[in-house]
């Protein structure tokens, strides 16, 4: 069944790509990419900096003693590793950087777990936001409604699970003792059930404390991030020559929000997201497919390629001075 679903997805994406590529003038795409003005590049750099600041907000909010600047540095560095290397390389790097800055291991693990979970909740809630905005601004659209329903229910389940987990101290202790027994049977020299119980209870109490204090701020920051992400793409499209009017902006903005869960695929859904987005927007607006591809390429350079370069430089500097 899973294999069949994968084949269907591959077939649909291939069809969308072929359909899209047939109507593209690649010389115009190249011209658009190489003729951004200095002020446009400056605006994009400022917007990308704002995007990274919002993206790093949960780390700064949920890890005690971590400054906002260090949260951004850790986030950019981990994003570069996640782009070029399989998980959990990015998590290992984050933990190493946090330890080098004197952050307690429990605080670091708790904050990373919470921030990652909150990011996925926001990513799954994005289609709901896109559907609601589109319905309010234009009309009811069934595909958006179904996407909002499916991903929205998943986001609610994940949020409820998170809230229950940070309130279940007794459950954390029981799981810790069971885990300790299993690990001790496999590796007799490892700490016993009492130690693992203490570790998981400490982890749970740290998580509960930070969520009670700043959890909703972290969630709101990631919901704001979804809107900023869509705005960055619309800005990139405007810079390559797409004429913006009210109905067109609504289509571009809401379509990206509905498709935002696809950024969870490898390389932020490169190919899959681009083909789906360009095909839909070109069908529901007067925007030319060539301009869409040019804008999407500018967007990928700004939000994906540039952070990788900066992140790798940060890692080199961090290793040199740590």
């Amino acid at each position: 069944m899973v294999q069949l679903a994968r084949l269907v997805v591959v077939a649909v994406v291939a069809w969308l790509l072929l359909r899209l590529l047939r109507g593209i003038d690649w010389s115009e795409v190249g011209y658009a990419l190489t003729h951004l003005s200095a002020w446009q590049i400056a605006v994009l750099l400022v917007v990308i900096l704002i995007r990274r600041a919002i993206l790093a907000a949960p780390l700064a909010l949920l890890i005690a003693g971590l400054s906002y600047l260090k949260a951004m540095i850790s986030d950019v560095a981990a994003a570069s590793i996640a782009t070029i290397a399989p998980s959990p390389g990015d998590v290992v790097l984050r933990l190493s950087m946090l330890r080098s800055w004197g952050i307690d291991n429990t605080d670091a693990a708790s904050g990373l777990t919470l921030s990652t979970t909150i990011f996925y909740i926001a990513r799954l809630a994005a289609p709901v936001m896109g559907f609601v905005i589109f319905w309010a601004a234009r009309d009811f659209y069934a595909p958006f409604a179904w996407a909002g329903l499916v991903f929205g229910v998943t986001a609610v389940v994940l949020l409820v699970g998170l809230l229950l987990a940070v309130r279940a101290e007794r459950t954390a202790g029981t799981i810790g003792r069971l885990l300790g027994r299993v690990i001790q049977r496999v590796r007799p020299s490892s700490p016993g059930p009492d130690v693992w119980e203490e570790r998981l209870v400490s982890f749970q109490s740290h998580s509960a404390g930070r969520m009670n204090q700043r959890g909703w701020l972290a969630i709101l920051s990631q919901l704001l991030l979804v809107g900023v992400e869509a705005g960055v793409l619309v800005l990139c499209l405007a810079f390559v020559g797409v004429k913006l009017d009210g109905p067109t902006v609504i289509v571009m903005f809401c379509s990206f929000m509905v498709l935002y869960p696809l950024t969870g695929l490898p390389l932020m859904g490169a190919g899959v997201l681009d083909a789906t987005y360009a095909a839909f927007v070109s069908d529901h607006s007067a925007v030319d497919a060539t301009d869409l591809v040019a804008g999407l390429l500018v967007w990928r350079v700004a939000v994906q390629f540039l952070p990788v370069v900066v992140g790798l430089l940060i890692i080199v500097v961090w290793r040199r001075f740590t």
Side-chain angles (χ1 to χ4, degrees):
M1 189 66 182
V2 175
Q3 190 67 26
L4 178 61
R6 289 177 179 173
L7 290 174
V8 170
V9 171
V10 170
V12 171
V13 172
W15 176 74
L16 287 171
L17 281 171
L18 290 173
R19 180 184 169 197
L20 177 65
L21 293 175
R22 281 199 299 266
I24 294 174
D25 185 338
W26 289 102
S27 62
E28 289 189 19
V29 172
Y31 180 85
L33 291 175
T34 56
H35 284 74
L36 291 176
S37 63
W39 73 267
Q40 289 174 330
I41 295 174
V43 169
L44 280 177
L45 290 175
V46 172
V47 171
I48 294 307
L49 183 61
I50 294 172
R51 172 185 177 268
R52 296 307 316 187
I54 299 173
L55 192 56
L59 278 182
L61 289 169
L62 298 172
I63 297 181
L66 182 66
S67 69
Y68 216 107
L69 178 60
K70 288 181 177 179
M72 289 181 63
I73 291 173
S74 170
D75 186 72
V76 174
S80 67
I81 293 297
T83 302
I84 62 178
S87 187
D90 57 326
V91 178
V92 173
L93 176 66
R94 284 180 189 269
L95 289 172
S96 298
M97 295 185 84
L98 293 173
R99 280 197 299 268
S100 73
W101 294 328
I103 303 297
D104 177 75
N105 284 337
T106 302
D107 279 335
S110 171
L112 286 175
T113 303
L114 291 174
S115 62
T116 302
T117 306
I118 287 171
F119 174 72
Y120 277 99
I121 290 171
R123 176 180 277 168
L124 293 169
V128 180
M129 299 164 60
F131 161 67
V132 171
I133 295 172
F134 192 85
W135 190 9
R138 294 192 58 169
D139 54 20
F140 179 86
Y141 187 55
F144 281 7
W146 279 109
L149 177 64
V150 172
F151 288 109
V153 169
T154 309
V156 170
V157 170
L158 191 57
L159 177 60
V160 171
L162 174 63
L163 295 177
L164 291 176
V166 297
R167 287 168 170 78
E169 182 176 345
R170 183 177 298 178
T171 303
T174 302
I175 293 174
R177 293 192 67 83
L178 291 173
L179 184 62
R181 291 191 185 102
V182 172
I183 293 176
Q184 199 169 46
R185 287 180 181 178
V186 176
R187 189 178 177 185
S189 61
S190 67
D194 292 338
V195 174
W196 278 99
E197 179 183 10
E198 182 182 351
R199 287 177 178 176
L200 261 71
V201 169
S202 176
F203 179 87
Q204 185 274 335
S205 63
H206 275 77
S207 301
R210 301 306 288 180
M211 278 296 294
N212 289 334
Q213 294 172 7
R214 299 179 174 184
W216 290 108
L217 280 176
I219 292 173
L220 289 174
S221 73
Q222 297 310 281
L223 293 177
L224 174 63
L225 172 70
V226 176
V228 171
E229 295 269 36
V232 172
L233 177 55
V234 172
L235 187 66
C236 292
L237 290 167
F239 283 173
V240 299
V242 175
K243 294 181 179 179
L244 302 181
D245 55 50
T248 302
V249 170
I250 291 297
V251 170
M252 293 191 299
F253 194 87
C254 295
S255 299
F256 180 79
M257 295 182 84
V258 171
L259 296 174
Y260 192 66
L262 294 179
T263 59
L265 297 174
L267 297 175
M268 290 182 65
V272 180
L273 173 64
D274 307 64
T276 309
Y277 180 82
F280 181 84
V281 173
S282 61
D283 280 351
H284 292 80
S285 69
V287 181
D288 186 69
T290 298
D291 292 334
L292 286 170
V293 170
L296 284 163
L297 287 174
V298 171
W299 174 73
R300 287 219 172 262
V301 170
V303 305
Q304 193 170 1
F305 177 73
L306 184 60
V308 168
V309 175
V310 174
L312 292 176
L313 290 174
I314 285 174
I315 293 171
V316 171
V317 174
W318 170 71
R319 288 179 62 86
R320 174 68 179 81
F321 292 99
T322 301

